[in-house]
C-alpha cells in the first residue's frame, strides 16, 4: 500500500479553501508529494486529464498510489490514517477529544457556506445594478452571526486553545482557510472578535500555514468586502 | 468513558436527512439509546433545553455521556470508533477502502445540497407566482446531473456493490436518505437509473433502514416534485 513519493501527487489552486485545508494537513504530517499548482482562471482543472482524476472538475485532488481523494476533510482524515506516527497527530485517540475534532471539523463548513457560497458567490455572479441590497445585508448578517458563534466557542475553550481542544487538529485545518480569508477581506477581527484574533495570530505562526500561504495572496491585498461586517 | 444506556440519548426529527444518517449508523452498530422524536413543526428543537445541547437549534443531537455531537457524519464516525467490535463495521481498516468511504460519505453532501438546499428550499420559500421557472429548471437540471453522476458511479462499482465498496459503510448511511427522498418525491428511478434502482432495493431491505423509516413517510406519500426530473 505504501506509495512512493513519485506516486504521491497533489493538484491545487491558489486561495481555494478546500485545497488549503488539505495542504495544511499534508504539511503537518510531513508528507512528501509532487505539487501541481493549476490556474483555475485558465480552467486547468477542467482538462480531460484532470477530469479523469476528478469527474466533478474540482480541486483539490490527492493521489497516493492508486488512491484518489478529492474531498478536503477526507484527505485530512486519510493522511492521518495513512501516515500515522509521522508529523503532527491530527486526530486524537481519546474518544471525547475525537468527538470534538469530528464535530468542529464538519461544523466549520458552515463558515465557508455562509461566506463563499451564500455571500461572495451572490456578489460575484450578480450584476452590481441587480444586487438586492436587503438580501445582501441579510446574507452578511448571517455570516456575522456565524463569526460570532466561533468567537463564543473560542471564548469558552479558553486562552491558547485550538478550535477543538488543546492541540492543532483536522478541525483547525478545516476552519483556518475561512478565517484567514475573512481577515484578508477586511474583517475587523481585533475589535469584533478578540478570541478569534488571538487564535488567528497563534495559528498564523505555524510553519505549515506560512509554507502554504496562497501564492496570489502574497502579491496583492484582498478587497475589503467585510470591513463593515460588524 | 463508556456511557450507560441512560446517558446515551438521541434527539431527532422525522424525515430529516442528517438525523436519518445518524440513526442508520446507531442501528447498524446496535447502540442502545433513549430516543427523543421532536416535532420540528412545533419548534421543539428550538427550546432553551435543546439550544443548550446544540446552540444552532438543529437536529440531530447525539449525547453519549459527556460527549455531544450534532454533525451527522461525525456521529457516524464517532459511533464506529466508540462501539468498535459491535454491530456492522462502518469504516474499513484497509487504507484504500477507507479512502473510498471517506470520499463518498463527504461527497454525498452534494446530493443533499442540490436537492434540498438549492431546489426544494427555493420551491418552499418562494411564493408560487414569484418562482422564476428558468431558474427552477436550471436547479432541477443540476440535480438530475448529480443523480446521473451517482448512477454512473454505481455502474462502475458493479452489481451488488454498496456506495463505497463491497460492504455497507458510513458512505451508505450518508447517501441513503437523499436517495430515499428522491424516490419518495417521484424520481423515475427504474427508467432513469437502473443501477441506483438495484442499489435502492438492496439497501431498503436492511433491518436498519426498515427500523428507522421516517414515521410521517409511512402515513402519506410525498408530493411528486421529481417525476419529470428526466
Amino acid at each position: 500500500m505504501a506509495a512512493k513519493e513519485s506516486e504521491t501527487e497533489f493538484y491545487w489552486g491558489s486561495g481555494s479553501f478546500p485545497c488549503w485545508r488539505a495542504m495544511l494537513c499534508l504539511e503537518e504530517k510531513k508528507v512528501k508529494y509532487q505539487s501541481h499548482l493549476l490556474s483555475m482562471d485558465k480552467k486547468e482543472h477542467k482538462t480531460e486529464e484532470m477530469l479523469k482524476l476528478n469527474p466533478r472538475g474540482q480541486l483539490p485532488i490527492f493521489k497516493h498510489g492508486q488512491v484518489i481523494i478529492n474531498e478536503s476533510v477526507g484527505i485530512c482524515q486519510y493522511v492521518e490514517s495513512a501516515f500515522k506516527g509521522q508529523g503532527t497527530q491530527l486526530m486524537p485517540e481519546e474518544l471525547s477529544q475525537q468527538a470534538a475534532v469530528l464535530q468542529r471539523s464538519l461544523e466549520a463548513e458552515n463558515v465557508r457556506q455562509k461566506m463563499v457560497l451564500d455571500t461572495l458567490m451572490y456578489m460575484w455572479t450578480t450584476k452590481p445594478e441587480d444586487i438586492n441590497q436587503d438580501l445582501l445585508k441579510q446574507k452578511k448578517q448571517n455570516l456575522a452571526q456565524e463569526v460570532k458563534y466561533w468567537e463564543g466557542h473560542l471564548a469558552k475553550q479558553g486562552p491558547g486553545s485550538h478550535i477543538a481542544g488543546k492541540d492543532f487538529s483536522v478541525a483547525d485545518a478545516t476552519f483556518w482557510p475561512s478565517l484567514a480569508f475573512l481577515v484578508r477581506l477586511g474583517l475587523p477581527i481585533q475589535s469584533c472578535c478578540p478570541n478569534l484574533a488571538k487564535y488567528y495570530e497563534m495559528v498564523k505562526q505555524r510553519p505549515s500555514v506560512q509554507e502554504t500561504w496562497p501564492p496570489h495572496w502574497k502579491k496583492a491585498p484582498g478587497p475589503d468586502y467585510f470591513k463593515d461586517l460588524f
Side-chain angles (χ1 to χ4, degrees), chain A residues 9-198:
Chain A
E9 303 189 63
F10 187 71
Y11 299 83
W12 58 288
S14 179
S16 144
F17 291 15
C19 294
W20 202 0
R21 290 170 174 173
M23 287 176 94
L24 286 169
C25 291
L26 290 166
E27 284 296 320
E28 291 282 344
K29 295 301 291 179
K30 302 194 183 304
V31 176
K32 294 199 190 316
Y33 58 89
Q34 287 185 57
S35 170
H36 304 281
L37 171 57
L38 304 188
S39 163
M40 294 191 286
D41 287 345
K42 292 182 190 161
K43 308 267 183 215
E44 288 178 351
H45 56 312
K46 306 277 190 193
T47 61
E48 204 175 320
E49 188 194 349
M50 288 299 106
L51 290 173
K52 277 185 199 157
L53 299 177
N54 185 0
R56 292 187 183 275
Q58 292 173 337
L59 297 174
I61 297 167
F62 179 60
K63 195 166 172 303
H64 183 229
Q66 296 304 307
V67 167
I68 295 171
I69 317 191
N70 313 306
E71 289 289 329
S72 57
V73 177
I75 296 172
C76 292
Q77 293 194 9
Y78 174 80
V79 296
E80 174 56 32
S81 192
F83 299 90
K84 225 177 180 63
Q86 88 179 46
T88 308
Q89 184 176 1
L90 295 172
M91 183 66 79
E93 301 287 338
E94 200 280 318
L95 269 178
S96 65
Q97 291 174 31
Q98 202 177 105
V101 171
L102 289 170
Q103 169 66 23
R104 301 304 164 194
S105 58
L106 293 159
E107 193 181 4
E109 191 59 17
N110 285 291
V111 192
R112 191 175 83 97
Q113 174 80 38
K114 288 176 190 167
M115 171 170 32
V116 182
L117 307 183
D118 293 351
T119 307
L120 294 175
M121 287 307 285
Y122 179 67
M123 290 165 68
W124 292 338
T125 61
T126 314
K127 286 184 201 155
E129 63 271 26
D130 290 346
I131 285 185
N132 177 328
Q133 292 299 334
D134 286 340
L135 183 61
L136 181 58
K137 197 175 160 188
Q138 184 57 55
K139 286 173 186 289
K140 284 191 172 182
Q141 278 173 356
N142 292 345
L143 174 58
Q145 194 179 5
E146 182 67 30
V147 170
K148 277 291 177 193
Y149 174 87
W150 291 91
E151 167 68 10
H153 168 64
L154 275 176
K156 272 185 244 155
Q157 295 276 98
S161 174
H162 284 82
I163 213 74
K166 198 165 56 67
D167 300 316
F168 185 93
S169 72
V170 170
D172 298 285
T174 309
F175 179 70
W176 170 263
S178 301
L179 180 63
F181 200 28
L182 279 165
V183 171
R184 177 171 162 83
L185 299 190
L187 178 78
I189 193 168
Q190 295 292 346
S191 57
C192 75
C193 316
N195 291 282
L196 274 172
K198 280 181 203 142

